[in-house]
Amino acid sequence: MPITVPSSSPSLQQASSAPEPEHIPADLQSNPAGQPLSSLLPAGEPAVLALANGQLFYGESIGAHGCAVGEAVFNTAMTGYQEILSDPSYAGQLITLTYPHIGNVGMNPQDDEAERVQAAALIVKSPPKRASNWRAREDLPTYLKRRGICAMAGIDTRKLTRILRSEGAQAACLLTGALAADREQAGVLALKRAREFSGMAGLDLAKEVSTREVYTWPEGVWSLKPSEQRTESGLVSSEHLPSSPRPALRVLALDFGVKRNILRMFVDRGCEVRVLPAQTGVEAILALEPDGVFLSNGPGDPEPCNYAIETARALMAHAMPLFGICLGHQIMGLASGAKTLKMKFGHHGANHPVKDLKSGAVMITSQNHGFAIDPENLPASLRVTHISLFDGSIQGIERIDCPAFAFQGHPEASPGPHDVSPLFDRFVELMRQNRAQG
């Protein structure tokens, strides 16, 4: 049973070039001799997880062999493990999934949220012996090994989650394969490396995961509805559907670790989307004559991202329509004069209730962040629009003196509910109004 537990207060809540595998990997095909399925699977390789508090977990490697060091966090979502794993906002983190069965429906190219997996490692309780879904192209272990991601299974993820919940996100080290062969030595080495990790505070990871080149994103949200233009995957995106009769609004997305489904949501609303490197300056942005600028999600601490903060501040001074999500929300806050804080264990899940302070509506949202805007240091130009009903932390802000707003959670979901997706419509309307005013 996944654990979803609120904190008492905000202050305490401080494209691969490898060939595509066959639809069913050879080692997962049926056994004509009728042998037990377990005999078809390779013998498990050892894995050791060490937390900086001295706790050790011994399990089985289900991914690449090697060493992964970073911050251990837990996510309570029951579905969407591929989207979670491929979300660039998890760079430098070891993801513990509280739902016990992970990998049941396999992996497919369409559900990746980025070209590369940026997460440090994956920790699960019980992967299936066989993946089964019509969209699957490979199983979870094959995907992890092909992408060089260390992963561990067979431990009590409930115990690990309770430690992270009570003591906070932990510096951690995962050793797999040969490095974990000697149980005692592996435990000592893993603990040493975990304690050497300085933590996420002060780390600017946005520029590390960002695109290096400007590119245009053409693809809309995938649909399972019948269509003559359906692709081999059985899906159709809005790039194949009739275009909007209205002139396209040009959205420039500053990539701090952007998820693909965010870009799809803009395309679905008739926007022309260009994605820019994180460190793109305001002059280069204005030269492209955008109707609006999007500050994307991303990993790490927002405070070291001075380049992004300065750019956001300059864009707001130009009265450029601005929309931020996740890290982009925090950057907008910092650019407006607010401060941010490190949360105890963050928000990672797909069932987080958020209240709209204007309408009183409560929405269930997808969340993934370890930092938040400090409610004790808000400038007069900033208004809080949404709060978390788990811990009261700030979930939405807007500027009262320029066309800019932001949301801490993920309105695009992927995975998760779409209760907050109308924020994309709000941004589109903001850009249209600004264009009409000349």
Side-chain angles (χ1 to χ4, degrees):
M1 190 74 180
I3 301 173
T4 303
V5 275
S7 169
S8 57
S9 71
S11 62
L12 293 179
Q13 253 280 57
Q14 311 264 308
S16 175
S17 60
E20 185 174 290
E22 295 297 327
H23 178 63
I24 302 178
D27 62 340
L28 294 181
Q29 293 175 2
S30 59
N31 176 22
Q35 299 174 10
L37 182 59
S38 59
S39 68
L40 302 177
L41 300 173
E45 297 286 346
V48 177
L49 173 69
L51 303 181
N53 68 355
Q55 182 72 53
L56 297 174
F57 294 84
Y58 297 90
E60 177 182 345
S61 170
I62 59 167
H65 291 178
C67 171
V69 177
E71 180 182 69
V73 297
F74 65 90
N75 186 301
T76 60
M78 297 175 67
T79 60
Y81 54 83
Q82 182 173 346
E83 292 94 327
I84 293 168
L85 181 60
S86 58
D87 179 351
S89 295
Y90 278 110
Q93 293 181 315
L94 292 76
I95 309 168
T96 303
L97 297 177
T98 61
Y99 189 73
H101 302 294
I102 300 298
N104 296 25
V105 296
M107 314 294 280
N108 68 78
Q110 290 77 34
D111 286 349
D112 275 340
E113 283 295 328
E115 183 177 355
R116 294 178 53 215
V117 174
Q118 302 286 353
L122 180 67
I123 302 164
V124 303
K125 178 175 176 57
S126 179
K129 296 179 179 178
R130 186 187 299 263
S132 177
N133 185 270
W134 66 275
R135 295 179 62 217
R137 293 297 179 268
E138 59 187 326
D139 63 347
L140 176 60
T142 301
Y143 176 95
L144 292 164
K145 292 170 185 175
R146 180 168 63 84
R147 291 180 172 260
I149 305 301
C150 295
M152 178 188 212
I155 69 167
D156 186 350
T157 50
R158 295 173 301 176
K159 178 179 179 180
L160 176 55
T161 299
R162 289 173 74 90
I163 292 172
L164 300 178
R165 171 61 180 83
S166 60
E167 300 185 30
Q170 295 271 319
C173 173
L174 175 62
L175 301 179
T176 61
L179 288 175
D182 186 308
R183 183 183 176 101
E184 184 175 347
Q185 289 184 7
V188 172
L189 176 61
L191 183 58
K192 177 178 180 293
R193 293 187 177 179
R195 288 175 172 169
E196 290 173 347
F197 179 63
S198 59
M200 299 296 284
L203 287 185
D204 175 6
L205 298 177
K207 64 185 179 185
E208 302 299 325
V209 303
S210 177
T211 180
R212 299 295 184 262
E213 305 290 337
V214 178
Y215 65 91
T216 298
W217 181 265
E219 179 185 286
V221 174
W222 291 108
S223 171
L224 291 176
K225 295 177 181 179
S227 170
E228 294 179 0
Q229 292 85 21
R230 184 171 287 187
T231 63
E232 275 184 26
S233 66
L235 303 174
V236 60
S237 89
S238 62
E239 69 173 309
H240 304 297
L241 302 179
S243 60
S244 169
R246 288 180 292 225
L249 294 165
R250 178 173 295 171
V251 174
L252 301 184
L254 284 173
D255 177 15
F256 307 131
V258 69
K259 291 173 62 180
R260 288 172 172 173
N261 209 50
I262 292 175
L263 306 178
R264 294 186 185 110
M265 298 287 268
F266 284 125
V267 171
D268 265 16
R269 287 158 175 80
C271 297
E272 172 197 335
V273 180
R274 294 189 189 180
V275 184
L276 310 182
Q279 295 177 283
T280 304
V282 66
E283 296 84 3
I285 292 172
L286 294 175
L288 294 172
E289 301 182 340
D291 291 294
V293 176
F294 172 68
L295 308 176
S296 88
N297 64 291
D301 188 343
E303 287 193 1
C305 302
N306 293 321
Y307 51 90
I309 296 167
E310 290 301 323
T311 296
R313 184 179 293 125
L315 289 170
M316 288 187 285
H318 280 83
M320 174 64 64
L322 211 62
F323 177 29
I325 288 177
C326 192
L327 183 71
H329 167 267
Q330 298 156 17
I331 286 172
M332 185 181 293
L334 290 167
S336 300
K339 295 183 179 179
T340 56
L341 51 80
K342 178 76 168 71
M343 304 172 80
K344 183 178 179 181
F345 52 82
H347 291 164
H348 310 278
N351 61 346
H352 290 235
V354 168
K355 183 177 181 179
D356 183 327
L357 295 180
K358 183 177 181 179
S359 69
V362 175
M363 299 160 287
I364 306 303
T365 69
S366 182
Q367 302 273 328
N368 178 26
H369 61 103
F371 292 82
I373 293 176
D374 187 349
E376 302 301 322
N377 293 277
L378 295 179
S381 61
L382 212 55
R383 177 189 294 133
V384 176
T385 59
H386 300 76
I387 61 168
S388 167
L389 293 184
F390 271 174
D391 58 16
S393 59
I394 296 174
Q395 281 288 317
I397 57 172
E398 65 182 4
R399 286 286 294 260
I400 63 174
D401 56 348
C402 62
F405 70 99
F407 189 73
Q408 179 61 80
H410 285 266
E412 83 288 352
S414 192
H418 292 185
D419 294 20
V420 201
S421 61
L423 289 181
F424 288 95
D425 301 316
R426 176 184 174 184
F427 186 50
V428 167
E429 183 58 29
L430 200 62
M431 290 188 288
R432 286 185 180 139
Q433 291 175 1
N434 194 66
R435 177 187 276 190
Q437 293 170 2

